[in-house]
């Protein structure tokens, strides 16, 4: 008897709530003449205006030699700031037509037509000879200038050992890499610690 009573009370409560919600919806619809949005729609300027799949972009230098390529299985363009969201992008940087660096990540955003690229999640930079491998969670790359920077933790691996730091600035054309803070590493059994 008690369980039947409580089930009946619960069912009645749900039915009353459903009627109140329906009346509220109908009242809003009748006043405006259009169905209410209920806050679920996004504004048009935050929606992508186009998307591409399996894209490959190639840029040449002033001498007509290969400068860099970018490949991504999925690109969505955001018209609000003219940016493009990339899924699993891979950048290949060339010098005098020869491949020098490969940069990959899980996601990225391209600004101003590849002038600036913000790479996120498992960013890996590797030299073609595998002498230098950098890993970081976030990296800003300027492909045209062959520059990269981050203020996030960085691990630099090479055949002799590894170095960990926070932040880097890299000139990928000259292979000059400046590790900024909390630099610690180990090379062939020697521990290196440079606190700035």
């Amino acid at each position: 008897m008690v369980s039947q009573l409580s089930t009946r009370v619960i069912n009645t409560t749900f039915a009353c709530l459903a009627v109140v919600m329906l009346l509220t919806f109908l009242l809003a619809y009748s006043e405006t003449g259009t169905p209410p949005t209920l806050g679920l729609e996004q504004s048009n300027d935050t929606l992508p205006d186009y998307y591409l799949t399996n894209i490959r972009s190639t840029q040449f230098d002033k001498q007509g030699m290969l400068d860099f390529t970018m490949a991504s299985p999925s690109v969505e363009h955001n018209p609000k700031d003219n940016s493009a969201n990339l899924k699993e992008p891979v950048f290949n940087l060339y010098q005098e037509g020869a491949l020098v660096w490969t940069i990959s990540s899980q996601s990225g955003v391209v600004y101003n037509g590849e002038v600036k690229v913000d790479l996120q999640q498992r960013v890996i930079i590797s030299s073609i000879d595998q002498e230098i491998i950098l890993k970081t969670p976030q990296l800003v790359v300027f492909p045209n200038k062959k520059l990269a920077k981050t203020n996030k933790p960085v691990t630099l691996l090479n055949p002799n050992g590894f170095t960990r730091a926070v932040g880097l600035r890299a000139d990928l054309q000259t292979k000059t890499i400046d590790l900024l803070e909390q630099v610690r590493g180990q090379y062939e059994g020697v521990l290196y610690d440079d606190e700035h």
Side-chain angles (χ1 to χ4, degrees):
M1 176 78 177
V2 173
S3 66
Q4 288 177 348
L5 181 61
S6 61
T7 303
R8 183 179 296 161
V9 169
I10 291 171
N11 289 342
T12 303
T13 303
F14 279 127
C16 288
L17 284 173
V19 168
V20 168
M21 289 174 63
L22 179 62
L23 288 174
T24 303
F25 179 83
L26 291 174
L27 181 62
Y29 181 76
S30 66
E31 287 179 4
T32 64
T34 58
T37 60
L38 302 176
L40 297 177
E41 292 181 4
Q42 291 182 303
S43 66
N44 285 340
D45 61 352
T46 61
L47 294 173
D49 58 349
Y50 66 84
Y51 68 93
L52 304 168
T53 58
N54 298 321
I55 185 170
R56 181 173 171 86
S57 172
T58 302
Q59 181 168 313
F60 298 90
D61 63 19
K62 291 177 182 176
Q63 288 75 36
M65 302 184 83
L66 199 54
D67 193 32
F68 73 86
T69 64
M70 187 275 294
S72 174
S74 171
V75 176
E76 289 184 351
H77 182 258
N78 182 355
K80 185 174 183 180
D81 61 0
N82 192 27
S83 65
N85 295 321
L86 309 174
K87 180 181 177 185
E88 299 174 1
V90 176
F91 287 83
N92 289 320
L93 304 179
Y94 296 80
Q95 197 166 348
E96 297 179 2
L99 179 60
V100 180
W101 297 97
T102 296
I103 306 173
S104 64
S105 69
Q106 294 296 304
S107 64
V109 180
V110 174
Y111 298 96
N112 300 325
E114 297 178 343
V115 171
K116 174 184 170 188
V117 182
D118 186 3
L119 300 174
Q120 302 282 338
Q121 303 173 351
R122 291 188 228 156
V123 183
I124 300 172
I125 308 173
S126 58
S127 60
I128 193 61
D129 55 10
Q130 298 291 307
E131 288 289 314
I132 300 172
I133 298 174
L134 286 162
K135 296 182 179 184
T136 184
Q138 184 268 340
L139 186 73
V140 176
V141 180
F142 301 89
N144 292 322
K145 297 179 180 180
K146 305 279 195 302
L147 298 175
K149 66 179 183 176
T150 186
N151 59 3
K152 303 295 183 189
V154 177
T155 301
L156 184 148
L157 305 165
N158 68 31
N160 299 322
F162 69 90
T163 302
R164 289 194 175 103
V166 175
L168 77 75
R169 284 189 303 264
D171 183 332
L172 301 173
Q173 190 160 355
T174 63
K175 291 190 177 182
T176 304
I177 299 170
D178 294 324
L179 300 174
L180 303 180
E181 297 179 3
Q182 302 176 32
V183 181
R184 294 188 172 131
Q186 185 169 354
Y187 291 89
E188 295 182 354
V190 177
L191 184 62
Y192 174 77
D193 190 351
D194 181 22
E195 288 289 336
H196 292 308

